Amino acid sequence: MTDSKDSQSKEEESKKLLKKDQVINVMYVQLKNEDNKVPLEKLFQKIKAEGVIIERDYRLQDFMNKCRQFGEFGCFKDVAVTFDEFYRLVEPRRKLISGCVTKRLKIEDFMDFSGTVEALYDSLKSNITGQVSDEFPDLESVDVNKWGVAICSVDGQRKFIGDSDFRFTMQNICKPLLMALVLKTAGIEVIKKYIAFQPNNVGDDILELNTSGKPFNAMANSGALMLCALLTTISFKGQSGSFIHDAYVRYLKKFIGDEYLEFKASSFISKLDSADELRCMSFGVTCTSLMPPGYDTNNCLDLFIKVKIQFT
């Protein structure tokens, strides 16, 4: 009698959960087997098929930790869970997981997308024109035959092919990330006060300011140096250079899903020794542009070089 009541109670609880969350119900119906249980391997396959790398996606760490309670040593081949167990597993990340199961992530047909990327990769693999940058030794020594592609959608769907794990320096990729950090910590009005939003007609290494004495945009070296000035004088006023760099690194790691990130002091020193053009530009910006109070040329230059040579 007691067993019957317990069974009835569990059944009623499951019905309540079904009514409460139709999204999870839809997933359950799609994934369940003849025993009305969801095989975890089937769920994993659905997630991976959409380009979400379970083992490396920090958003799914708690989900995987819970799954390991059902599979000894992480083996899930014959593991299937009831609706109640399935609900508790996926509910905290139901938006991401349901997007995978029902194919509603940004790249809806990820397999087709992957095929297109692979075809493009193969068609360009033989193109070895151009030359390695000689801006500083770490760039000069890069193997010219390295060729890799790494793509990540806004939903975290990722495609890697070729030498995508090869470590490289951020270089100009750092500029939009610097911009994002200044936007977050100082705001758009502060940026507008010191940096224009206009195209410019010259290269990165040429100092050109608009008629108001501002860098034309934040993607030019002069604009990026100004971003560093805003970080050191407004966003993190009174903080040391190492503190500000650490703050940037922490912010950057959020962008890259807490993946690998490294700073090499030797690369920084090497770049600093050969940064005459940047140094001239830094002093040029100081002399000709409206600078925030407390601006220090050397501190800003150091920060800019550090974020440019960050390895990922």
Side-chain angles (χ1 to χ4, degrees):
M1 188 72 176
T2 304
D3 290 342
S4 176
K5 284 184 177 180
D6 289 343
S7 177
Q8 188 176 359
S9 176
K10 287 182 179 180
E11 188 176 336
E12 288 175 358
E13 185 180 351
S14 294
K15 287 180 180 178
K16 287 179 182 178
L17 290 175
L18 282 168
K19 290 180 181 179
K20 180 182 177 182
D21 200 323
Q22 289 300 315
V23 173
I24 294 180
N25 183 28
V26 169
M27 286 194 287
Y28 171 72
V29 171
Q30 285 191 27
L31 296 169
K32 69 177 182 177
N33 57 20
E34 294 177 354
D35 297 327
N36 289 325
K37 290 185 176 182
V38 175
L40 287 185
E41 277 291 340
K42 188 176 182 180
L43 174 59
F44 295 161
Q45 288 169 7
K46 286 281 188 180
I47 295 173
K48 291 178 180 179
E50 298 309 307
V52 175
I53 304 174
I54 297 177
E55 299 83 0
R56 292 174 61 176
D57 197 314
Y58 75 96
R59 298 171 298 176
L60 294 175
Q61 285 179 356
D62 289 342
F63 166 74
M64 285 305 297
N65 288 336
K66 291 177 182 177
C67 287
R68 291 187 183 99
Q69 297 173 9
F70 297 96
E72 188 176 358
F73 303 116
C75 180
F76 306 103
K77 185 177 180 181
D78 300 315
V79 178
V81 295
T82 65
F83 175 79
D84 293 355
E85 292 167 337
F86 176 71
Y87 182 93
R88 291 181 176 85
L89 278 175
V90 303
E91 197 276 333
R93 289 295 177 186
R94 60 181 173 178
K95 184 177 181 180
L96 173 60
I97 296 173
S98 67
C100 294
V101 174
T102 60
K103 291 184 174 292
R104 291 184 180 178
L105 296 183
K106 185 58 68 174
I107 303 174
E108 293 182 0
D109 192 338
F110 193 79
M111 289 187 68
D112 181 66
F113 172 80
S114 294
T116 302
V117 171
E118 289 168 10
L120 287 170
Y121 173 86
D122 290 335
S123 68
L124 296 170
K125 193 173 184 179
S126 60
N127 185 347
I128 55 173
T129 57
Q131 59 186 22
V132 175
S133 172
D134 59 357
E135 188 176 345
F136 68 102
D138 269 326
L139 292 181
E140 285 183 291
S141 61
V142 172
D143 183 353
V144 295
N145 295 309
K146 293 293 183 185
W147 168 226
V149 175
I151 300 172
C152 183
S153 77
V154 294
D155 282 330
Q157 296 164 279
R158 292 189 272 184
K159 175 66 179 178
F160 304 111
I161 186 169
D163 300 310
S164 59
D165 285 333
F166 182 75
R167 306 303 178 195
F168 64 92
T169 55
M170 297 292 290
Q171 297 300 311
N172 287 337
I173 300 172
C174 74
K175 293 174 181 177
L177 300 170
L178 279 172
M179 177 79 161
L181 182 56
V182 178
L183 274 170
K184 180 180 179 181
T185 54
I188 185 64
E189 294 306 319
V190 169
I191 294 177
K192 285 181 178 179
K193 182 178 178 180
Y194 293 98
I195 304 173
F197 288 77
Q198 302 169 258
N200 61 332
N201 299 317
V202 298
D204 267 356
D205 294 324
I206 298 175
L207 176 59
E208 184 182 45
L209 305 175
N210 69 4
T211 54
S212 300
K214 300 177 183 179
F216 275 85
N217 58 72
M219 299 303 107
N221 279 344
S222 56
L225 284 165
M226 185 65 81
L227 288 174
C228 291
L230 296 177
L231 285 174
T232 56
T233 61
I234 297 175
S235 298
F236 301 102
K237 184 178 180 180
Q239 299 292 345
S240 66
S242 59
F243 178 92
I244 298 169
H245 179 245
D246 286 345
Y248 168 79
V249 170
R250 289 193 299 272
Y251 190 63
L252 179 57
K253 284 181 78 69
K254 291 182 179 179
F255 271 96
I256 62 174
D258 207 30
E259 291 277 358
Y260 175 89
L261 201 61
E262 179 188 3
F263 173 75
K264 285 186 178 179
S266 58
S267 299
F268 169 67
I269 294 169
S270 171
K271 175 61 181 173
L272 197 62
D273 288 341
S274 59
D276 291 340
E277 288 180 345
L278 272 179
R279 190 171 286 106
C280 287
M281 179 175 289
S282 184
F283 281 103
V285 172
T286 304
C287 295
T288 59
S289 180
L290 174 67
M291 302 303 296
Y295 170 80
D296 183 284
T297 303
N298 291 322
N299 286 345
C300 293
L301 181 62
D302 283 2
L303 178 60
F304 185 40
I305 292 175
K306 282 178 180 177
V307 299
K308 274 177 73 75
I309 58 92
Q310 197 83 42
F311 279 79
T312 187

